[in-house]
């Protein structure tokens, strides 16, 4: 798997993942019926850097056992498994703190793609001079994400009571998570 | 003083307050050199409701002792003393939580205009069906604002360590503050 800056050619693949994640409605506070145009405007906003995780093989992440392998004609179209964005969380006096958002294709979960993108993101954020990385809105029921962020050194620094209306679980808390990037520049 | 929805005619007055507040650089994480166009696009963004606090007399908030009272020709141009915005803090499953931002003209501070706008805002937020009001970015050195929010029932629910670079004090903490609007609907 390779993580690289997204290009225009990735827009269809990103929209496909974005739509899937947002339609589920349990990890992002975004309109589940957001349009392609609004979704891509958000994911490719000015000041936002957009990345994709691309599989090594065209069938990566497709997970259809028994299906014949891809035909030679399409082996160049390597599958986009996930995408993330990195941007300043605020302007002015708050621009040294980064914010990021991650999405992994449903068929590609449980393979460490989120972790690989998060590690790439921490390295990119540090390289671009950010002093910290903040997640503004980690829904408390998203335990896989919370475990991953804690494992990567993030702390829960805030709890927003009942701030998210979960499609199955009703009103649930939301966490603000934060990690300084300074201590490991030594 | 009267608090009302802002109109096109208030844009100059709002920009004047906005520029003053942001140029000081100690209360908002916004570019101190933000353009008029960007500032007004932010303050009048789609989905954002914009209000102004308007003085009863034309000289309100001007604070120029010894100056003759305003000429009859301009008594209609009542001074805008402050402005605030109210909007959903997130979309989708997070849209029941409101967010607000307040700015008071330098010459009009210490007169309770911030408090009056905040009380108006709580009432507006409740009337519009929001279940809570969240401030994402209250800079810890802004003690007057923090005292006011606590007095109005807000709690500090998160602390972002060194998240703001203060023009005089260096890196300082930032608070996330939150107030449920449900308990007092009874």
């Amino acid at each position: 798997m390779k993580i690289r800056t997204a290009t225009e050619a990735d827009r269809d693949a990103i929209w496909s993942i974005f739509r899937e994640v947002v339609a589920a409605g349990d990890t992002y506070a975004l309109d589940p019926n957001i349009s392609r145009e609004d979704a891509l405007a958000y994911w490719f906003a000015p000041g936002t850097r957009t990345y994709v995780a691309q599989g090594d093989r065209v069938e990566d992440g497709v997970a259809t056992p028994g299906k014949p392998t891809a035909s030679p004609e399409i082996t160049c179209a390597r599958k986009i498994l996930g995408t993330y964005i990195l941007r300043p969380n605020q302007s002015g006096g708050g621009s040294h703190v980064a914010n990021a958002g991650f999405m992994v294709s449903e068929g590609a979960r449980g393979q460490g793609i989120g972790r690989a993108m998060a590690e790439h993101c921490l390295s990119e954020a540090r390289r671009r001079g950010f002093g910290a990385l903040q997640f503004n809105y980690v829904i408390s029921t998203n335990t896989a994400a919370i475990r991953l962020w804690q494992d990567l050194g993030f702390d829960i620094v805030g709890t927003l009571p009942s701030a998210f209306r979960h499609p199955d679980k009703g009103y649930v808390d939301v966490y603000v998570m934060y990690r300084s990037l300074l201590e490991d520049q030594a």
Side-chain angles (χ1 to χ4, degrees), chain A:
Chain A
M1 189 188 54
K2 181 186 165 189
I3 297 169
R4 57 165 176 81
T5 299
T7 68
E8 282 296 311
D10 299 314
R11 293 171 81 93
D12 283 343
I14 290 172
W15 165 234
S16 162
I17 297 173
F18 195 104
R19 182 169 44 178
E20 192 179 76
V21 167
V22 172
D26 57 351
T27 56
Y28 275 84
L30 290 169
D31 178 0
N33 300 311
I34 190 170
S35 70
R36 181 185 196 277
E37 190 189 347
D38 287 350
L40 292 175
Y42 169 63
W43 212 248
F44 285 90
T48 293
R49 290 176 183 276
T50 312
Y51 303 83
V52 288
Q54 177 184 287
D56 293 324
R57 297 161 306 156
V58 70
E59 67 273 29
D60 266 358
V62 180
T64 45
K67 203 182 162 199
T69 52
S71 69
E73 292 86 341
I74 60 159
T75 47
C76 290
R78 294 205 166 84
K79 185 84 179 173
I80 300 302
L81 309 172
T83 178
Y84 84 87
I85 54 172
L86 177 64
R87 58 187 178 184
N89 198 38
Q90 303 283 344
S91 306
S95 62
H96 62 288
V97 178
N99 169 248
F102 298 82
M103 293 186 176
V104 177
S105 166
E106 220 168 84
R109 296 198 189 144
Q111 299 172 32
I113 291 157
R115 175 181 290 266
M117 290 199 297
E119 284 170 351
H120 188 272
C121 174
L122 284 167
S123 149
E124 279 289 283
R126 210 175 284 121
R127 197 166 70 81
R128 298 192 176 279
F130 287 110
L133 182 54
Q134 178 177 330
F135 301 136
N136 301 310
Y137 208 86
V138 184
I139 298 165
S140 59
T141 49
N142 192 358
T143 49
I146 294 163
R147 250 197 316 269
L148 175 57
W149 305 147
Q150 286 178 326
D151 202 49
L152 291 172
F154 286 82
D155 292 318
I156 293 173
V157 296
T159 300
L160 315 174
S162 306
F164 184 70
R165 193 176 51 247
H166 189 284
D168 309 320
K169 297 171 186 166
Y171 289 97
V172 297
D173 292 351
V174 174
Y175 300 135
V176 180
M177 299 189 73
Y178 199 91
R179 185 205 199 280
S180 170
L181 301 174
L182 299 177
E183 70 253 42
D184 39 30
Q185 277 181 345

